Amino acid sequence: MSTSTPTLDERIAALRTVTEAGAGRIPSAIADDAAALLQQAKARRSRSPEHTVVGVFGATGSGKSSLVNALVGDEVAKAHVRRPTTSQALAVTWDAVGAAELLDWLEIHERVERTQPIDPRAGKLVLVDLPDIDSIEAGNRAIAERLAGQVDALLWVVDPQKYADDVLHAQFIAPHARHAAVTLVVLNQVDLLAAGDRASVVASLQSIVSRDGLPRARVLSASARTLEGIDALRAAIGDLAAARTVRDARLTADVQTLAARIDDPGPAATLDARAAARVRDEVGAAAGVDVVAAAVASSYRKRAAQVTGWPLVSWIGRLRADPLTRLGLGPKRRGSDTDADVHRTSMPLLSAGAQAKLSLAVRSFADTAAAGLAGPWKAAVRTAAEGALEKLPADLDLAIARSPLPAKGSWWWAIIGIVQWVTIVAGVLGALWLVGASLLPTFGMPALLIPRVESGPLEGWAVPTLVIIAAVLVGVLLGLLSAVLSALTAAGRRRRTRRRLLASVDEVVQRDVVQPVTAELDRARAVAAALAVARR
C-alpha cells in the first residue's frame, strides 16, 4: 500500500468502492450518508471552485450576526428588509454573479452584496450568517445542521457565558473533529471579561476544543462591539480564502469522517487449493461419485464375463441389468439424443445423510473462509455458500450425467472370446466323435475309429476324450484369466472414472461454492483497501 497522501479524487473513488462493494454489508444509514456525500462532493466541485464559503455558527446569544456585521463593516445582518431575525441563512458576497449558482445549490436565498472585501485575499469569499444551532425552532436548527455539512469552512462563535456548552461541543464541533484545517473558533464578547481573565478563558476554550478532537483548530478572541480582534479574524478568514484548497480540505475531512464510521471487514482469508480439494472430495462423496465409479467397474466386469466367460454359463450374466444402466448412465442412454444440458441420471435423490454431509462440507468451507471477517461480511460469505446448497444436487447430477465414462470393452475380449468358442466347438466335436463311435454300429453303420494316445502319461486315453477334457479345462482357465484381467482393468477404470467425476464435481463446486465465496472475500479485501485510502 502506498504511503503517500491520497488525493481527493482517490478518496472519493475509494468511498465509492466502499459503497458499491459493501452494499448490503455496511449499515444502510451509513450507506445512505455515503451516497449523499458522494453526490454532494460532485455537486460542490462542479460549482464555483474559486469561491470559499465560510459558515458562521453559534448558539443563541453568541453574537454571530453582530460579528458578521463587524467583519463586513456594515449592518448587513440587520439591513436586509426581509430578515428581522436570524431565521434564515444570509450570504454576504463580493461576487454575487459568480456565486449565484453555488448559493442556489446551498439553498441560501437571502443575499447581500458588498464591494470592499474584508481582506485583500478574500474577493471570492461567501460569508454566511446562520440561524442559532440551539434554536427552539426545529426549522432554524435544521438549516444550521444542513449547512454545517455543506459549507467549505466553519467558524464557530461562542461567548464567555456559554463557551463550554455541551450542545455546541458534543453535537456540532466534536463531530467535525477531522475538519481542523477548515475550522476557526472565536470567543466573541471578550470585552465582557476582565483583562486578566481573557487569557485563561481563551486557554480553557482551546483545551475544550482539543478534547473535541481539534487540537490544531485556530482559537481567536474578538469583540463585535469594540472591534477588538476583528482584524485578526479577518486575516484568518483571508488565510482560508487565499489557500484555494479549503473546499477540497473540507470534502477530504468529510470523506475521512464518514469512512471512520464504517467498520473494517477484517482480514480476508486466502483460499488455498487444499481447501477447495477437500470440499470437492466431500461434495463428490455425498453426490455419489464412488457409487458411479463402482458401477463403472461392475459394468466392465459384467460385460467382460459375458464376452470372455465360458459360453455355456456366461449367458446367465445377461439376465442381470447393467449397473450403469440402472443409474441412467448406460451406453444406450449416454449415446441417445437426449440434450446434454438437461440430461439427468437415474440415481436416487440425495438421502438425508448425504444432504447433511453436503451441507456440512459447504458450510465448513464457508466458515473457514470467513474466519477472520467481521459479522456482516461473515454472514455474507455464509449466505453465498448456502445459496449453493439449493443448486448443488441438480448441478451435481447433471455434471455426473455429462461426464465421459469408459464404456468400451478391451481388445483382449475378442481374442479370449474366440478361443472360448473354439474350445467349445472342439469339445462338442470330441463328444460327437465318441457318441458317433458308440451309436453308429447300432444302425448298421461302420464304427468310427477312435484314436488313442500310444505313449506317455496319457497312454491309452482316447483322443476325443482328451479333446473334451482340454476344452473344459481351457474354458475354465480362460474364464479365470479373464476374471483376473477384468478385475484389474475394472479397478483401473474405477480410479480413472473417480478422477473424471471429481473433475466434473470440481467444476460445479468451483462455480457454485468456491467462486461465490471467493467473490465475497475479494469484496471484503476491496472494501478494506478502499477504507484505508479514504481514512488516510
Side-chain angles (χ1 to χ4, degrees):
M1 183 182 298
S2 174
T3 57
S4 60
T5 301
T7 64
L8 178 57
D9 285 335
E10 291 172 336
R11 295 180 191 277
I12 289 176
L15 184 59
R16 184 172 291 108
T17 296
V18 171
T19 58
E20 293 174 355
R25 293 146 185 82
I26 59 178
S28 57
I30 296 179
D32 291 343
D33 289 347
L37 175 56
L38 290 171
Q39 183 61 35
Q40 176 179 314
K42 180 180 179 180
R44 176 62 185 97
R45 299 179 82 193
S46 66
R47 292 172 172 82
S48 303
E50 70 278 6
H51 282 85
T52 301
V53 182
V54 178
V56 183
F57 301 86
T60 304
S62 61
K64 299 186 313 304
S65 298
S66 297
L67 192 62
V68 169
N69 290 335
L71 288 169
V72 177
D74 195 359
E75 297 292 312
V76 292
K78 295 181 180 179
H80 202 276
V81 67
R82 291 182 296 169
R83 192 174 184 270
T85 61
T86 313
S87 59
Q88 293 292 327
L90 170 68
V92 184
T93 68
W94 288 265
D95 178 18
V97 176
E101 182 184 6
L102 176 58
L103 291 174
D104 289 342
W105 173 67
L106 292 172
E107 300 180 26
I108 299 176
H109 307 294
E110 307 295 332
R111 307 170 189 179
V112 174
E113 184 178 11
R114 287 294 178 267
T115 57
Q116 185 63 38
I118 65 174
D119 183 274
R121 301 164 298 170
K124 297 294 184 179
L125 174 69
V126 177
L127 192 64
V128 183
D129 183 21
L130 288 147
D132 300 330
I133 60 174
D134 60 349
S135 173
I136 60 173
E137 294 291 335
N140 293 352
R141 179 166 179 159
I143 292 172
E145 290 176 344
R146 175 177 62 82
L147 287 171
Q150 291 181 290
V151 298
D152 299 326
L154 304 105
L155 194 161
W156 301 102
V157 181
V158 298
D159 62 83
Q161 289 75 34
K162 296 188 293 183
Y163 72 89
D165 181 69
D166 285 341
V167 173
L168 172 69
H169 290 279
Q171 298 184 24
F172 284 88
I173 297 182
H176 293 86
R178 294 178 182 269
H179 296 70
V182 294
T183 297
L184 296 173
V185 181
V186 180
L187 177 65
N188 192 21
Q189 303 174 6
V190 293
D191 56 297
L192 300 180
L193 295 172
D197 294 335
R198 294 180 183 180
S200 60
V201 173
V202 171
S204 175
L205 176 58
Q206 179 71 71
S207 176
I208 294 172
V209 171
S210 295
R211 288 200 300 272
D212 290 338
L214 294 90
R216 294 185 295 109
R218 295 183 64 179
V219 177
L220 301 93
S221 59
S223 170
R225 188 174 67 84
T226 66
L227 303 185
E228 178 183 346
I230 294 299
D231 287 341
L233 181 55
R234 286 171 175 164
I237 295 174
D239 290 340
L240 292 175
R244 301 289 182 125
T245 58
V246 172
R247 180 202 65 182
D248 286 359
R250 166 59 199 259
L251 292 174
T252 293
D254 287 342
V255 172
Q256 290 176 318
T257 299
L258 194 143
R261 294 169 56 197
I262 302 174
D263 293 332
D264 195 281
T270 300
L271 297 178
D272 57 21
R274 289 176 299 178
R278 185 164 52 251
V279 71
R280 177 206 64 193
D281 291 344
E282 293 172 350
V283 169
V289 164
D290 293 328
V291 173
V292 175
V296 167
S298 296
S299 174
Y300 179 86
R301 289 194 301 269
K302 176 184 182 297
R303 289 181 291 118
Q306 291 173 190
V307 175
T308 66
W310 197 31
L312 295 180
V313 295
S314 63
W315 61 272
I316 299 175
R318 300 180 185 276
L319 301 178
R320 294 187 296 109
D322 188 285
L324 283 178
T325 302
R326 287 201 300 268
L327 297 178
L329 298 170
K332 292 183 179 179
R333 177 73 179 273
R334 297 179 63 80
S336 69
D337 295 330
T338 305
D339 186 355
D341 289 333
V342 298
H343 178 65
R344 289 182 55 82
T345 72
S346 299
M347 296 175 65
L349 297 176
L350 296 182
S351 65
Q355 289 180 339
K357 290 180 180 178
L358 186 69
S359 176
L360 179 61
V362 171
R363 287 192 169 94
S364 296
F365 174 76
D367 288 344
T368 299
L373 297 178
W377 292 92
K378 184 175 295 187
V381 171
R382 287 175 176 168
T383 299
E386 289 174 356
L389 291 175
E390 299 179 4
K391 302 184 296 180
L392 272 176
D395 288 353
L396 290 170
D397 188 87
L398 181 60
I400 290 174
R402 294 168 60 184
S403 297
L405 302 180
K408 294 182 178 180
S410 296
W411 59 270
W412 52 267
W413 285 8
I415 297 174
I416 293 181
I418 292 171
V419 174
Q420 286 281 32
W421 279 107
V422 168
T423 61
I424 288 294
V425 171
V428 170
L429 290 176
L432 291 175
W433 196 339
L434 292 176
V435 171
S438 300
L439 295 179
L440 286 178
T442 63
F443 295 101
M445 300 177 67
L448 291 176
L449 179 65
I450 300 178
R452 296 180 180 276
V453 179
E454 297 179 354
S455 62
L458 300 177
E459 182 179 354
W461 281 77
V463 171
T465 302
L466 292 177
V467 170
I468 294 172
I469 294 173
V472 173
L473 290 177
V474 170
V476 172
L477 290 175
L478 286 176
L480 293 174
L481 176 62
S482 65
V484 172
L485 290 176
S486 65
L488 294 174
T489 305
R493 291 196 173 194
R494 178 174 185 167
R495 290 191 296 270
R496 289 197 301 274
T497 299
R498 188 175 187 277
R499 286 196 297 269
R500 288 180 183 178
L501 292 176
L502 285 178
S504 298
V505 168
D506 187 57
E507 292 180 6
V508 174
V509 170
Q510 288 289 333
R511 182 182 68 244
D512 291 355
V513 181
V514 177
Q515 289 179 7
V517 169
T518 300
E520 288 298 333
L521 297 178
D522 289 342
R523 287 163 71 106
R525 292 189 194 94
V527 169
L531 277 177
V533 172
R535 291 171 177 171
R536 193 160 71 244

